[in-house]
Amino acid sequence: MAEQTAPPAIRTDPPAARPDRAVVRDALGVGVAVGLSGFAFGVTSAGSGLTLLQTCALSLLVFTGASQFALVSALAAGGNPFTAAAGAFFLGVRNAFYGLRLSQLLALPRFVRPFAAHWVIDETTAVTLAQPSRRSARLGFTVTGLTLYVLWNLTTLVGALGAEAIGDTDAWGLDAASPAVFLALLAPMLRTGTERTVAGLAVLLALGVLPVLPAGVPVLVAALAAPAVLCVQGRRARHTAKEDRR
Amino acid sequence: MSVWIAIGATAVGCYLVKLIGLLVPAGALERPLVRRLAALLPVALLAALTAQQTFSTGQQLVLDARGAGLAAAALALVLRAPFLVVVGAAVVVTAGVRAISG
């Protein structure tokens, strides 16, 4: 991941087009690796008491891992369907912000957008943002989306079927897969002090309110770290500007 | 039945937010503040998710084998390992610590 998102060392003018093969290789790398982690979801979902059909429906129709994991754990904990869905939905809200950025980069025709929308997730965004040109952005988005969608659904099915055979899934460490996925997505975004401050504050907020707020809400509270840090920065910038004028 | 209601609501809700992001006119991003916020929100959410899924069980804060697994993933990231190795390291170390500590 880090390699894919690192800016190209040499920028020639016009922006150096990346060879299609390099884009496809990066996209396949992310698509295959994350697609395989659908196995962990299938196992978790079946272990939470969802049927095979329900588990597969989630991967086919929701297709945003964090929301899926959140939904099945909320249902397993005995949450009512609407609270559970609300938590999963709020986790999915970040995809709207990914879409805002992708919309400009991909510049898709209007009629394609309703279809492309289903693939707007962390991984496709990460690969697309790393591309230097529109052509490679579109290629990266499509290859990542297609690979990930197909594999995620296949491995969900296999995981759900295999859940019984595996037995205690936690003993296999599969519950560590999804935080590792999130960390790998997050790492290349932590370029400046601002990003690191936001991440640190978000962790404190999420863990701080976790014991007192219902499932799904702490992550939303943590999202406030972004506007909070921007607000403080803006105030400091105005203050410095005033000092300079004196 | 209630599980299907939850699945339906989640599927519709999650699809709509994805679509909204793509359909919002580009002009909405012209303001630098909105652009900064759109870039920083995923950072906050991913950091919160990582911490929560590593250090909590239900509504309780816990420090267990997942912490060691995440540390292994972080080390793999620092060493610029491929994605699958990062996730694999977390899974293997977590399973290993659990096997050792019983």
Side-chain angles (χ1 to χ4, degrees), chain A residues 1-3 33-34 36 50 53-54 57-58 61-64 66-67 71 75 81-82 85 88-89 91-104 110 113-114 116-118 120-122 170-173 175-187 189-190 194-195 198-199 202-203 206-207 210-214 218-219 222-223 226-227 230, chain B residues 1-7 9-30 32-61 64-66 69-71 73-75 77 80-88 90-92 94-96 98-99:
Chain A
M1 288 297 291
E3 282 165 327
V34 182
L36 291 178
L50 273 73
L53 193 60
Q54 288 166 339
L58 275 173
L61 302 176
V62 177
F63 190 54
T64 173
S67 297
L71 185 73
L75 289 174
F82 296 105
F89 168 77
L91 284 181
V93 167
R94 72 185 185 287
N95 292 326
F97 292 95
Y98 295 156
L100 279 176
R101 302 187 75 188
L102 292 184
S103 171
Q104 283 193 322
R110 288 233 142 221
R113 293 181 189 197
H118 200 42
V120 174
I121 53 171
D122 304 302
D170 284 2
W172 293 82
D175 53 338
S178 94
V181 167
F182 292 135
L183 187 67
L185 292 170
L186 175 65
M189 295 184 188
L190 300 178
T194 308
E195 277 88 1
V198 168
V203 168
L207 296 182
L210 184 89
V212 289
L213 292 178
V219 172
L230 276 185
Chain B
M1 192 58 218
S2 72
V3 173
W4 280 114
I5 294 172
I7 291 172
T10 305
V12 171
C14 284
Y15 176 73
L16 285 182
V17 289
K18 290 175 184 175
L19 188 61
I20 285 168
L22 280 186
L23 291 184
V24 164
L29 261 185
E30 291 305 303
L33 187 66
V34 178
R35 199 180 304 173
R36 289 293 289 149
L37 198 57
L40 284 179
L41 268 173
V43 173
L45 287 163
L46 285 172
L49 280 170
T50 308
Q52 192 178 308
Q53 296 198 355
T54 308
F55 302 112
S56 75
T57 301
Q59 279 193 283
Q60 280 183 320
L61 296 180
D64 62 15
R66 286 172 298 176
L70 195 73
L75 182 65
L77 280 169
R80 308 208 149 220
F83 196 86
L84 199 56
V85 174
V86 173
V87 178
V91 170
V92 168
T94 303
R98 285 201 181 120

Side-chain angles (χ1 to χ4, degrees), chain A:
Chain A
M1 288 297 291
E3 282 165 327
Q4 285 137 16
T5 41
I10 304 162
R11 283 254 183 187
T12 49
D13 213 32
R18 289 188 75 200
D20 289 354
R21 271 180 54 192
V23 178
V24 170
R25 198 185 52 221
D26 288 355
L28 282 177
V30 174
V32 170
V34 182
L36 291 178
S37 56
F39 183 76
F41 173 72
V43 169
T44 307
S45 179
S48 305
L50 273 73
T51 65
L52 182 68
L53 193 60
Q54 288 166 339
T55 299
C56 290
L58 275 173
S59 279
L60 284 167
L61 302 176
V62 177
F63 190 54
T64 173
S67 297
Q68 295 178 227
F69 275 107
L71 185 73
V72 297
S73 54
L75 289 174
N80 84 56
F82 296 105
T83 322
F89 168 77
F90 287 133
L91 284 181
V93 167
R94 72 185 185 287
N95 292 326
F97 292 95
Y98 295 156
L100 279 176
R101 302 187 75 188
L102 292 184
S103 171
Q104 283 193 322
L105 284 173
L106 298 173
L108 296 171
R110 288 233 142 221
F111 71 92
V112 178
R113 293 181 189 197
F115 302 100
H118 200 42
W119 287 353
V120 174
I121 53 171
D122 304 302
E123 294 82 4
T124 49
T125 306
V127 171
T128 309
L129 292 183
Q131 306 306 327
S133 68
R134 175 152 300 152
R135 179 189 162 81
S136 54
R138 284 178 171 176
L139 185 63
F141 177 82
T142 309
V143 173
T144 312
L146 184 64
T147 320
L148 193 40
Y149 191 70
V150 170
L151 275 180
W152 178 260
N153 280 289
L154 281 178
T155 54
T156 295
L157 176 65
V158 174
L161 289 172
E164 281 179 38
I166 287 178
D168 181 10
T169 55
D170 284 2
W172 293 82
L174 284 169
D175 53 338
S178 94
V181 167
F182 292 135
L183 187 67
L185 292 170
L186 175 65
M189 295 184 188
L190 300 178
R191 278 187 217 115
T192 70
T194 308
E195 277 88 1
R196 290 185 200 130
T197 310
V198 168
L201 184 60
V203 168
L204 288 180
L205 284 172
L207 296 182
V209 301
L210 184 89
V212 289
L213 292 178
V217 182
V219 172
L220 287 181
V221 174
L224 294 176
V229 168
L230 276 185
C231 185
V232 171
Q233 267 192 345
R235 198 171 289 174
R236 204 176 283 167
R238 275 195 299 276
H239 189 72
T240 322
K242 228 181 265 174
E243 296 280 300
D244 287 349
R245 248 176 273 142
R246 271 176 206 163

